[in-house]
Amino acid sequence: MDLNNLKPAEGAVHKEGKRLGRGEGSGKGGTAARGHKGAKSRSGYSKKIGFEGGQMPLQRRVPKFGFKNINRKEYKGINLGKLQELVDKGTVKGEVTLDTLIDNGLAHKNDLVKILGDGELKASLKVSVHKFTASAKAAIEAAGGEAISL
């Protein structure tokens, strides 16, 4: 190692950018590399999101369609097979409530829950959630359980 090959540590030196608008002698005086006239040369210019130079923007050109029902309720679907898995693991005995489902990570506290009929339920369970499909309700009652809508 010699004095001629010493260098500062990586990241220790920050190179400053070109100083604009600091006199003609700097080569970046006058217009300060902004060019002549137009919005981009002015102070305070900021391009609006989606602005296409006056051309009709894409989000206004594309046709809108469909209908969004503001009163729609979204239900979190849980299949009978999942309930049977909980019984097999031993986390549920006899009764399934919203709190049970939340504790086992199948639903969140603000979810509306609907039991769906996919899978097979062998255990007799008292299930109390917001909704049931017809096949799920029939399967729960066929296994000797009870389906209670909140």
Side-chain angles (χ1 to χ4, degrees), residues 12-86:
V13 177
H14 302 287
K15 188 178 177 194
E16 296 298 327
K18 290 181 181 169
R19 296 189 71 212
L20 304 176
R22 290 295 178 272
E24 286 302 313
S26 69
K28 295 287 182 204
T31 60
R34 286 171 173 248
H36 296 279
K37 297 187 182 173
K40 287 185 189 175
S41 72
R42 316 281 184 208
S43 68
Y45 165 76
S46 65
K47 191 178 86 181
K48 304 292 182 279
I49 293 172
F51 183 69
E52 297 184 18
Q55 171 178 302
M56 187 60 70
L58 181 68
Q59 72 270 23
R60 292 187 59 196
R61 270 181 283 160
V62 175
K64 313 294 183 281
F65 61 91
F67 170 74
K68 275 254 191 269
N69 184 356
I70 60 168
N71 298 317
R72 178 180 167 83
K73 286 187 169 69
E74 280 289 332
Y75 287 90
K76 172 80 176 157
I78 297 173
N79 283 309
L80 289 173
K82 282 282 184 194
L83 297 182
Q84 185 60 46
E85 280 179 34
L86 291 179

Coordinates of all heavy atoms in Angstrom, one line a residue, residues 12-86:
A12 N -18.3 6.7 1.8 CA -17.9 7.8 2.7 C -17.9 9.1 2.0 O -18.2 10.2 2.6 CB -16.5 7.6 3.2
V13 N -17.8 9.1 0.7 CA -17.7 10.3 -0.1 C -19.0 10.4 -1.0 O -19.4 9.5 -1.7 CB -16.5 10.4 -1.1 CG1 -16.5 11.6 -1.9 CG2 -15.2 10.3 -0.2
H14 N -19.7 11.5 -0.8 CA -20.9 11.7 -1.6 C -20.7 12.8 -2.6 O -20.4 14.0 -2.3 CB -22.1 12.2 -0.7 CG -22.4 11.2 0.4 ND1 -23.0 10.0 0.2 CD2 -22.1 11.2 1.7 CE1 -23.1 9.4 1.3 NE2 -22.6 10.1 2.3
K15 N -20.7 12.5 -3.9 CA -20.5 13.4 -5.0 C -21.7 14.3 -5.1 O -22.8 13.9 -5.2 CB -20.2 12.7 -6.3 CG -19.8 13.6 -7.4 CD -19.5 12.8 -8.6 CE -19.1 13.8 -9.7 NZ -19.1 13.2 -11.0
E16 N -21.5 15.6 -5.0 CA -22.5 16.6 -5.2 C -22.9 16.6 -6.7 O -22.1 16.5 -7.6 CB -22.1 18.0 -4.7 CG -21.8 18.1 -3.2 CD -23.0 17.7 -2.3 OE1 -24.1 18.1 -2.7 OE2 -22.8 17.2 -1.3
G17 N -24.2 16.9 -6.9 CA -24.7 17.1 -8.3 C -24.2 18.4 -8.9 O -23.6 19.2 -8.2
K18 N -24.5 18.6 -10.2 CA -24.1 19.8 -10.8 C -24.9 21.0 -10.3 O -26.1 20.9 -10.1 CB -24.3 19.7 -12.3 CG -23.4 18.8 -13.0 CD -23.7 18.7 -14.5 CE -22.7 17.7 -15.1 NZ -23.1 17.4 -16.5
R19 N -24.2 22.1 -10.0 CA -24.9 23.3 -9.4 C -25.4 24.1 -10.6 O -24.7 24.6 -11.4 CB -23.9 24.1 -8.5 CG -23.5 23.3 -7.3 CD -22.7 24.1 -6.4 NE -23.6 25.1 -5.7 CZ -23.2 26.3 -5.3 NH1 -22.0 26.7 -5.5 NH2 -24.1 27.1 -4.7
L20 N -26.7 24.1 -10.6 CA -27.4 24.8 -11.7 C -27.7 26.3 -11.4 O -28.0 26.6 -10.2 CB -28.7 24.1 -12.1 CG -28.6 22.6 -12.4 CD1 -30.0 22.0 -12.6 CD2 -27.7 22.4 -13.6
G21 N -27.7 27.1 -12.4 CA -28.1 28.5 -12.2 C -27.2 29.3 -11.4 O -27.6 30.1 -10.6
R22 N -25.9 29.0 -11.5 CA -24.9 29.8 -10.7 C -23.9 30.6 -11.6 O -22.7 30.5 -11.4 CB -24.1 28.8 -9.8 CG -24.9 28.2 -8.7 CD -25.4 29.3 -7.7 NE -26.2 28.7 -6.6 CZ -27.5 28.6 -6.6 NH1 -28.2 29.0 -7.8 NH2 -28.2 28.2 -5.6
G23 N -24.5 31.2 -12.6 CA -23.7 32.1 -13.5 C -23.3 31.4 -14.8 O -23.2 30.2 -14.9
E24 N -23.0 32.3 -15.8 CA -22.7 31.8 -17.1 C -21.4 31.0 -17.2 O -21.3 30.1 -18.0 CB -22.6 33.0 -18.1 CG -24.0 33.6 -18.5 CD -24.9 32.6 -19.1 OE1 -24.5 31.8 -20.0 OE2 -26.1 32.5 -18.6
G25 N -20.5 31.4 -16.4 CA -19.1 30.7 -16.4 C -19.2 29.3 -16.0 O -18.3 28.5 -16.4
S26 N -20.2 28.8 -15.3 CA -20.4 27.4 -14.9 C -20.8 26.5 -16.0 O -20.7 25.3 -16.0 CB -21.4 27.3 -13.7 OG -22.7 27.6 -14.2
G27 N -21.3 27.1 -17.1 CA -21.9 26.4 -18.2 C -23.3 25.9 -18.0 O -24.0 25.4 -18.8
K28 N -23.8 26.1 -16.7 CA -25.2 25.8 -16.4 C -26.0 27.0 -15.9 O -26.8 26.9 -14.9 CB -25.2 24.7 -15.4 CG -24.7 23.3 -15.8 CD -25.6 22.6 -16.8 CE -25.0 21.3 -17.1 NZ -25.5 20.8 -18.4
G29 N -25.6 28.2 -16.4 CA -26.3 29.4 -16.0 C -27.5 29.6 -16.8 O -28.0 28.7 -17.5
G30 N -28.0 30.8 -16.9 CA -29.1 31.2 -17.8 C -30.4 30.4 -17.5 O -31.1 30.6 -16.5
T31 N -30.7 29.4 -18.3 CA -31.9 28.6 -18.1 C -31.7 27.5 -17.1 O -32.7 26.8 -16.9 CB -32.4 28.0 -19.5 OG1 -31.3 27.2 -20.0 CG2 -32.7 29.1 -20.5
A32 N -30.5 27.3 -16.7 CA -30.2 26.3 -15.7 C -30.7 24.9 -16.2 O -31.3 24.1 -15.4 CB -30.9 26.6 -14.3
A33 N -30.4 24.6 -17.4 CA -30.7 23.3 -18.1 C -32.1 23.0 -18.1 O -32.5 21.8 -18.3 CB -29.9 22.2 -17.3
R34 N -33.0 24.0 -18.0 CA -34.4 23.7 -18.1 C -35.0 24.0 -19.5 O -36.1 23.7 -19.8 CB -35.2 24.6 -17.2 CG -35.1 24.2 -15.7 CD -35.7 25.3 -14.8 NE -35.8 24.9 -13.4 CZ -36.9 24.7 -12.8 NH1 -38.1 24.8 -13.4 NH2 -36.9 24.4 -11.5
G35 N -34.2 24.6 -20.4 CA -34.6 24.9 -21.7 C -35.4 26.2 -21.7 O -35.5 26.9 -20.6
H36 N -35.9 26.7 -22.8 CA -36.6 27.9 -22.9 C -38.1 27.7 -22.9 O -38.7 26.9 -23.6 CB -36.3 28.6 -24.3 CG -34.8 29.0 -24.3 ND1 -34.3 30.1 -23.7 CD2 -33.7 28.4 -24.9 CE1 -33.0 30.2 -23.9 NE2 -32.6 29.1 -24.6
K37 N -38.8 28.6 -22.1 CA -40.3 28.6 -22.1 C -41.0 27.3 -21.7 O -40.3 26.3 -21.5 CB -40.9 29.2 -23.4 CG -40.5 30.6 -23.7 CD -41.2 31.1 -24.9 CE -40.7 32.5 -25.3 NZ -41.3 32.9 -26.5
G38 N -42.3 27.3 -21.6 CA -43.0 26.1 -21.4 C -43.2 25.8 -19.9 O -42.4 26.4 -19.0
A39 N -44.1 24.9 -19.5 CA -44.4 24.7 -18.1 C -43.2 24.2 -17.3 O -43.0 24.5 -16.2 CB -45.6 23.7 -18.0
K40 N -42.4 23.3 -18.0 CA -41.3 22.7 -17.3 C -40.2 23.6 -16.9 O -39.4 23.3 -16.1 CB -40.7 21.5 -18.1 CG -41.6 20.3 -18.2 CD -40.9 19.2 -18.9 CE -41.8 18.0 -19.2 NZ -41.2 17.0 -20.0
S41 N -40.2 24.8 -17.6 CA -39.1 25.8 -17.3 C -39.5 26.7 -16.1 O -38.7 27.4 -15.5 CB -38.9 26.6 -18.5 OG -39.9 27.5 -18.7
R42 N -40.8 26.6 -15.7 CA -41.3 27.5 -14.6 C -41.1 26.9 -13.2 O -41.1 25.7 -13.1 CB -42.8 27.8 -14.8 CG -43.3 28.0 -16.2 CD -43.0 29.4 -16.6 NE -43.6 29.7 -18.0 CZ -43.1 30.5 -18.8 NH1 -42.0 31.3 -18.5 NH2 -43.6 30.7 -20.0
S43 N -41.0 27.8 -12.3 CA -40.9 27.3 -10.9 C -42.3 26.9 -10.5 O -43.3 27.5 -11.0 CB -40.4 28.4 -9.9 OG -41.4 29.5 -9.8
G44 N -42.4 25.9 -9.6 CA -43.7 25.5 -9.1 C -44.4 24.5 -10.0 O -45.5 24.0 -9.8
Y45 N -43.7 24.1 -11.1 CA -44.3 23.1 -12.1 C -44.3 21.7 -11.4 O -43.3 21.3 -10.9 CB -43.5 23.1 -13.4 CG -43.9 21.8 -14.2 CD1 -45.0 21.8 -14.9 CD2 -43.0 20.8 -14.3 CE1 -45.3 20.7 -15.7 CE2 -43.2 19.7 -15.0 CZ -44.4 19.6 -15.7 OH -44.7 18.5 -16.5
S46 N -45.4 21.0 -11.5 CA -45.4 19.6 -11.1 C -46.5 18.9 -12.0 O -47.6 19.4 -12.1 CB -45.8 19.4 -9.6 OG -47.1 19.8 -9.4
K47 N -46.1 17.9 -12.7 CA -47.0 17.2 -13.6 C -48.1 16.4 -12.8 O -47.7 15.7 -11.9 CB -46.2 16.2 -14.4 CG -47.0 15.7 -15.6 CD -46.1 14.8 -16.5 CE -46.2 13.4 -15.9 NZ -45.4 12.4 -16.5
K48 N -49.3 16.6 -13.2 CA -50.4 15.8 -12.5 C -50.3 14.4 -12.9 O -50.0 14.0 -14.0 CB -51.7 16.4 -12.9 CG -51.9 17.9 -12.7 CD -51.9 18.3 -11.2 CE -52.2 19.7 -10.9 NZ -51.0 20.5 -11.0
I49 N -50.7 13.5 -11.9 CA -50.7 12.0 -12.2 C -51.7 11.7 -13.3 O -52.8 12.2 -13.3 CB -51.1 11.3 -10.9 CG1 -50.0 11.4 -9.9 CG2 -51.3 9.8 -11.2 CD1 -50.3 10.9 -8.5
G50 N -51.2 11.0 -14.3 CA -52.1 10.6 -15.5 C -52.2 11.7 -16.6 O -52.8 11.5 -17.6
F51 N -51.5 12.8 -16.4 CA -51.5 13.9 -17.4 C -50.7 13.5 -18.6 O -49.6 12.9 -18.5 CB -50.9 15.2 -16.8 CG -51.0 16.3 -17.8 CD1 -52.2 16.9 -18.1 CD2 -49.8 16.9 -18.3 CE1 -52.3 18.0 -19.0 CE2 -49.9 17.9 -19.2 CZ -51.1 18.5 -19.5
E52 N -51.3 13.6 -19.8 CA -50.7 13.2 -21.0 C -50.6 14.3 -22.0 O -50.8 14.2 -23.2 CB -51.6 12.1 -21.7 CG -51.6 10.8 -20.8 CD -52.4 9.7 -21.5 OE1 -52.6 9.7 -22.7 OE2 -52.8 8.8 -20.8
G53 N -50.1 15.5 -21.5 CA -49.9 16.6 -22.4 C -51.1 17.2 -23.0 O -51.0 17.8 -24.1
G54 N -52.2 17.1 -22.4 CA -53.5 17.7 -22.9 C -54.3 16.6 -23.7 O -55.5 16.8 -23.9
Q55 N -53.7 15.6 -24.1 CA -54.4 14.5 -24.8 C -55.3 13.9 -23.7 O -55.0 13.9 -22.5 CB -53.4 13.4 -25.2 CG -54.0 12.1 -25.7 CD -52.9 11.2 -26.2 OE1 -52.1 11.5 -27.1 NE2 -52.8 10.0 -25.6
M56 N -56.5 13.3 -24.1 CA -57.4 12.7 -23.2 C -56.7 11.6 -22.5 O -56.3 10.6 -23.1 CB -58.7 12.2 -23.9 CG -59.8 11.8 -23.0 SD -60.4 13.0 -21.9 CE -61.2 14.1 -23.0
P57 N -56.6 11.6 -21.1 CA -55.9 10.6 -20.4 C -56.5 9.2 -20.5 O -57.7 9.1 -20.7 CB -55.9 11.1 -19.0 CG -56.3 12.5 -19.0 CD -57.1 12.6 -20.2
L58 N -55.7 8.2 -20.3 CA -56.1 6.8 -20.5 C -57.3 6.5 -19.6 O -58.3 5.9 -20.0 CB -55.0 5.8 -20.2 CG -55.3 4.4 -20.3 CD1 -55.5 4.0 -21.8 CD2 -54.2 3.5 -19.8
Q59 N -57.2 6.9 -18.3 CA -58.3 6.6 -17.4 C -59.7 7.2 -17.8 O -60.7 6.8 -17.3 CB -57.9 6.9 -16.0 CG -57.9 8.3 -15.6 CD -56.5 9.0 -15.8 OE1 -55.7 8.5 -16.6 NE2 -56.3 10.1 -15.1
R60 N -59.6 8.2 -18.6 CA -60.9 8.8 -19.1 C -61.3 8.3 -20.5 O -62.4 8.4 -20.9 CB -60.7 10.4 -19.2 CG -60.6 11.0 -17.8 CD -60.6 12.5 -17.8 NE -61.9 13.0 -18.4 CZ -62.0 14.2 -18.7 NH1 -61.0 15.1 -18.6 NH2 -63.1 14.7 -19.3
R61 N -60.3 7.7 -21.2 CA -60.6 7.2 -22.5 C -61.3 5.8 -22.5 O -62.1 5.4 -23.3 CB -59.3 7.0 -23.4 CG -59.0 8.2 -24.2 CD -57.7 8.0 -24.9 NE -56.6 8.1 -24.0 CZ -55.4 7.6 -24.3 NH1 -55.2 6.9 -25.4 NH2 -54.4 7.7 -23.4
V62 N -60.9 5.0 -21.4 CA -61.4 3.6 -21.3 C -62.8 3.6 -20.8 O -63.2 4.4 -19.9 CB -60.5 2.9 -20.3 CG1 -61.0 1.5 -20.1 CG2 -59.1 2.8 -20.8
P63 N -63.7 2.9 -21.5 CA -65.1 2.9 -21.0 C -65.3 2.3 -19.7 O -64.6 1.3 -19.3 CB -65.8 2.1 -22.1 CG -64.8 1.2 -22.7 CD -63.5 2.0 -22.6
K64 N -66.2 2.8 -18.9 CA -66.6 2.3 -17.6 C -67.8 1.4 -17.8 O -68.7 1.7 -18.5 CB -66.9 3.4 -16.6 CG -65.9 4.5 -16.6 CD -64.5 4.1 -16.1 CE -63.6 5.3 -16.0 NZ -63.0 5.7 -17.2
F65 N -67.9 0.3 -17.0 CA -69.0 -0.6 -17.1 C -69.2 -1.3 -15.8 O -68.3 -1.4 -15.0 CB -68.9 -1.5 -18.3 CG -67.8 -2.5 -18.2 CD1 -67.9 -3.7 -17.6 CD2 -66.5 -2.1 -18.7 CE1 -66.8 -4.6 -17.5 CE2 -65.5 -3.0 -18.6 CZ -65.6 -4.2 -18.0
G66 N -70.4 -1.9 -15.7 CA -70.6 -2.8 -14.5 C -71.4 -2.0 -13.4 O -71.7 -0.8 -13.6
F67 N -71.5 -2.7 -12.3 CA -72.3 -2.1 -11.2 C -71.7 -2.6 -9.9 O -71.4 -3.7 -9.7 CB -73.8 -2.6 -11.3 CG -74.6 -2.3 -10.1 CD1 -75.0 -1.0 -9.9 CD2 -75.0 -3.3 -9.2 CE1 -75.8 -0.7 -8.8 CE2 -75.8 -3.0 -8.1 CZ -76.2 -1.7 -7.9
K68 N -71.5 -1.7 -9.0 CA -71.0 -2.0 -7.6 C -72.1 -1.8 -6.6 O -72.5 -0.6 -6.4 CB -69.8 -1.1 -7.3 CG -68.5 -1.6 -7.8 CD -67.6 -2.2 -6.7 CE -66.2 -2.5 -7.0 NZ -66.0 -3.8 -7.5
N69 N -72.6 -2.8 -6.0 CA -73.6 -2.7 -5.0 C -73.0 -2.3 -3.7 O -72.2 -3.0 -3.1 CB -74.3 -4.0 -4.8 CG -75.5 -3.9 -3.9 OD1 -75.7 -2.9 -3.3 ND2 -76.2 -5.0 -3.7
I70 N -73.3 -1.1 -3.2 CA -72.7 -0.6 -2.0 C -73.2 -1.3 -0.8 O -72.6 -1.2 0.3 CB -72.8 1.0 -1.9 CG1 -74.3 1.3 -1.8 CG2 -72.1 1.7 -3.0 CD1 -74.6 2.8 -1.4
N71 N -74.3 -2.0 -0.9 CA -74.8 -2.7 0.3 C -74.4 -4.2 0.3 O -74.9 -4.9 1.2 CB -76.3 -2.6 0.3 CG -76.8 -1.2 0.4 OD1 -76.3 -0.4 1.2 ND2 -77.8 -0.8 -0.4
R72 N -73.5 -4.6 -0.6 CA -73.1 -6.0 -0.7 C -72.4 -6.4 0.6 O -71.6 -5.7 1.2 CB -72.2 -6.2 -1.9 CG -71.7 -7.6 -2.0 CD -70.7 -7.8 -3.2 NE -70.0 -9.0 -3.2 CZ -70.5 -10.2 -3.6 NH1 -71.7 -10.2 -4.1 NH2 -69.8 -11.2 -3.6
K73 N -72.7 -7.7 1.1 CA -72.0 -8.2 2.2 C -71.1 -9.3 1.8 O -71.5 -10.2 1.1 CB -73.0 -8.8 3.2 CG -73.8 -7.7 4.0 CD -74.7 -8.3 5.1 CE -75.2 -7.3 6.0 NZ -76.2 -6.4 5.5
E74 N -69.8 -9.2 2.2 CA -68.9 -10.3 1.8 C -68.7 -11.3 3.0 O -68.5 -10.9 4.1 CB -67.5 -9.6 1.6 CG -67.3 -9.0 0.2 CD -67.2 -10.0 -0.9 OE1 -66.8 -11.2 -0.7 OE2 -67.6 -9.7 -2.0
Y75 N -68.9 -12.5 2.7 CA -68.8 -13.6 3.7 C -67.5 -14.4 3.5 O -67.1 -14.6 2.4 CB -70.0 -14.6 3.6 CG -71.3 -14.0 4.1 CD1 -72.1 -13.3 3.3 CD2 -71.7 -14.1 5.4 CE1 -73.3 -12.7 3.7 CE2 -72.8 -13.5 5.9 CZ -73.7 -12.9 5.1 OH -74.8 -12.3 5.5
K76 N -66.9 -14.8 4.6 CA -65.7 -15.6 4.6 C -66.3 -17.0 4.6 O -66.9 -17.5 5.6 CB -64.9 -15.3 5.9 CG -63.8 -16.2 6.1 CD -62.6 -15.9 5.3 CE -61.4 -16.8 5.6 NZ -60.5 -16.9 4.6
G77 N -66.0 -17.8 3.6 CA -66.4 -19.1 3.4 C -65.5 -20.1 4.1 O -64.3 -20.1 3.9
I78 N -66.1 -21.0 4.9 CA -65.4 -22.1 5.6 C -66.1 -23.4 5.3 O -67.3 -23.5 5.6 CB -65.3 -21.8 7.1 CG1 -64.5 -20.5 7.4 CG2 -64.6 -23.0 7.8 CD1 -64.5 -20.1 8.8
N79 N -65.3 -24.4 4.8 CA -65.9 -25.6 4.4 C -66.1 -26.6 5.6 O -65.3 -26.5 6.6 CB -65.1 -26.3 3.3 CG -65.3 -25.7 2.0 OD1 -66.5 -25.6 1.5 ND2 -64.3 -25.3 1.3
L80 N -67.0 -27.5 5.5 CA -67.2 -28.5 6.5 C -65.9 -29.3 6.8 O -65.6 -29.7 7.9 CB -68.3 -29.5 6.1 CG -69.7 -28.9 6.1 CD1 -70.7 -29.9 5.6 CD2 -70.1 -28.5 7.5
G81 N -65.1 -29.6 5.7 CA -63.9 -30.3 5.8 C -62.9 -29.6 6.8 O -62.2 -30.3 7.6
K82 N -62.9 -28.3 6.9 CA -62.1 -27.5 7.8 C -62.5 -27.8 9.2 O -61.7 -27.9 10.2 CB -62.1 -26.1 7.5 CG -61.2 -25.7 6.3 CD -59.8 -25.6 6.7 CE -58.9 -25.1 5.5 NZ -57.5 -25.4 5.7
L83 N -63.9 -27.8 9.4 CA -64.4 -28.0 10.8 C -64.0 -29.4 11.2 O -63.6 -29.6 12.4 CB -65.9 -27.9 10.8 CG -66.5 -26.5 10.4 CD1 -68.0 -26.5 10.6 CD2 -65.9 -25.4 11.3
Q84 N -64.1 -30.4 10.3 CA -63.7 -31.8 10.7 C -62.2 -31.9 11.0 O -61.8 -32.6 12.0 CB -64.0 -32.7 9.5 CG -63.8 -34.2 9.8 CD -64.6 -34.7 11.0 OE1 -65.8 -34.4 11.1 NE2 -64.0 -35.4 11.9
E85 N -61.4 -31.1 10.3 CA -59.9 -31.0 10.7 C -59.7 -30.5 12.1 O -58.9 -31.0 12.8 CB -59.2 -30.1 9.7 CG -58.8 -30.7 8.3 CD -58.1 -29.8 7.4 OE1 -57.3 -28.9 7.9 OE2 -58.4 -29.8 6.2
L86 N -60.5 -29.5 12.5 CA -60.3 -29.0 13.8 C -60.7 -30.0 14.9 O -60.1 -30.1 15.9 CB -61.2 -27.7 14.0 CG -60.8 -26.4 13.2 CD1 -61.9 -25.3 13.5 CD2 -59.5 -26.0 13.6

